[in-house]
Amino acid sequence: MPLSPHQNTFAGNPLNRASERRGDVSWLTEKLLAPDSLAIALWNGQPFVEASPDGGVQIAYLPSRMAEDLSGGAERLLFMGLWQETAVFAVDLEGGHDPADGPLAGMGRFEDLRAMALRLPATDAAIMATAKSMFEWRRRHRHCSSCGEHTDVVDGGWKRACPACKAEHFPRTDPVVIMLAVHGDRCMLGRQEIWPKGMFSALAGFLEPGESIEEACARELEEEAGLKTLSVEYHSTQPWPYPSSLMIGLIAQVASDEATPDQTELSEVRWFTKAEARDVLAGKVEGTFAPGPMAIAHQLLKTWAESPD
């Protein structure tokens, strides 16, 4: 049963992470070599998938022993968790030669996660997003931030340990506030110059140290659009594996509709009634569109536009 009425893309990983077993090397080894254990594969960040019976795509699972052979060692392996009693691992593949034309020929294909996320079962998308985020973190943190030495992968891939200074390094998630500003019966969307022409979205920014979620929301709205925040309502969150963010969705009541884009983050802002917002979401406004259903910005706008007056 979902814990939130708003189930965003990349949320809802169904695996039991079994974090209490990550430090048990003998148990992990036994599971990795077990004939019924499974693995997922990513090549240069792209998930390995196959056609599903309904015409979409789904994870193309490998025997975990094959993943272990392909990995070349612990650096490229990750214990994902348990599906009931079945252990699930992930293998991180890199290089210029597509493994689907080599050792994985005939078993599936690699596709871009963002492009196919809505064609995957929601649970498959969440599993793949978890693996992608973890491998990105491990790839970017191979050296100890304390002494600079190369670190070792431990705890099933969920920790890096420095053999020199004994420092332990854990995965990091970058919190991002993303908020729909509302004043009276209208909401505000903004756009950046680098976005596709006509695209408008909710405002967003990284949470800073020593800052609450509400304070970050208020700061971003003031910095980017000159708006004063009166109150902040939580909507939902979305894991975002590009590379490892957590989008914190909010609806913010603001003091006025006198918004001024800062011309650094925002090039333009526009206010929409609920009827206009529904038309934008439905693609009925020529030259103007919002992010698609995969994005939490879409869900924020949809929730507000469909709420009672």
Side-chain angles (χ1 to χ4, degrees):
M1 178 179 177
L3 299 176
S4 168
H6 309 289
Q7 191 73 19
N8 295 305
T9 304
F10 302 136
N13 184 342
L15 298 181
N16 173 1
R17 296 181 182 232
S19 57
E20 74 281 0
R21 306 307 300 266
R22 292 172 182 166
D24 190 337
V25 176
S26 61
W27 182 85
L28 287 173
T29 301
E30 177 186 340
K31 289 297 184 182
L32 182 62
L33 300 178
D36 59 341
S37 293
L38 300 173
I40 63 175
L42 292 93
W43 171 57
N44 296 336
Q46 298 181 70
F48 193 53
V49 297
E50 62 184 359
S52 60
D54 62 1
V57 291
Q58 62 188 20
I59 292 175
Y61 284 99
L62 313 175
S64 61
R65 286 187 179 219
M66 177 179 285
E68 197 268 344
D69 290 340
L70 292 170
S71 71
E75 181 66 40
R76 296 190 180 278
L77 280 174
L78 174 69
F79 171 61
M80 295 289 296
L82 298 172
W83 173 251
Q84 298 179 355
E85 297 301 318
T86 301
V88 180
F89 293 82
V91 59
D92 182 25
L93 306 174
E94 289 184 314
H97 183 70
D98 187 344
D101 294 328
L104 301 182
M107 301 178 66
R109 62 187 185 275
F110 290 96
E111 287 196 28
D112 180 75
L113 179 59
R114 193 193 302 244
M116 69 170 174
L118 293 181
R119 293 190 292 130
L120 280 167
T123 51
D124 284 16
I127 290 171
M128 283 300 190
T130 301
K132 181 176 174 61
S133 284
M134 280 299 301
F135 285 138
E136 287 292 339
W137 170 75
R138 282 166 53 174
R139 191 175 295 114
R140 293 162 186 250
H141 294 81
R142 287 174 174 161
H143 292 85
C144 179
S145 59
S146 297
C147 72
E149 290 295 321
H150 192 278
T151 56
D152 298 325
V153 171
V154 295
D155 281 10
W158 291 85
K159 184 169 72 174
R160 301 195 72 105
C162 179
C165 71
K166 309 306 179 185
E168 297 180 331
H169 304 281
F170 297 88
R172 292 292 182 263
T173 298
D174 300 318
V176 177
V177 290
I178 180 166
M179 48 274 170
L180 184 70
V182 175
H183 178 70
D185 61 353
R186 297 192 300 165
C187 75
M188 187 197 75
L189 300 176
R191 65 170 273 100
Q192 295 184 11
E193 194 62 37
I194 62 173
W195 289 352
K197 185 178 180 180
M199 177 177 165
F200 283 78
S201 185
L203 277 58
F206 286 97
L207 198 72
E208 294 186 349
E211 193 172 47
S212 70
I213 290 171
E214 295 82 0
E215 290 166 348
C217 171
R219 174 180 54 78
E220 289 289 344
L221 286 175
E222 183 172 12
E223 287 178 357
E224 295 184 11
L227 293 172
K228 180 180 179 182
T229 300
L230 299 177
S231 63
V232 178
E233 177 185 353
Y234 170 80
H235 177 272
S236 63
T237 56
Q238 179 182 34
W240 192 248
Y242 300 99
S244 53
S245 295
L246 178 67
M247 309 299 291
I248 304 168
L250 309 166
I251 295 178
Q253 299 293 330
V254 295
S256 77
D257 59 0
E258 296 180 3
T260 303
D262 65 355
Q263 300 302 325
T264 301
E265 294 290 336
L266 295 181
S267 59
E268 184 180 354
V269 296
R270 192 179 299 178
W271 292 87
F272 299 86
T273 65
K274 288 186 176 181
E276 291 169 341
R278 291 193 294 269
D279 285 344
V280 169
L281 290 170
K284 296 180 179 179
V285 180
E286 185 176 355
T288 302
F289 67 98
M294 185 177 76
I296 192 173
H298 178 103
Q299 304 304 331
L300 288 171
L301 186 60
K302 184 174 184 289
T303 295
W304 177 79
E306 295 180 352
S307 63
D309 292 326

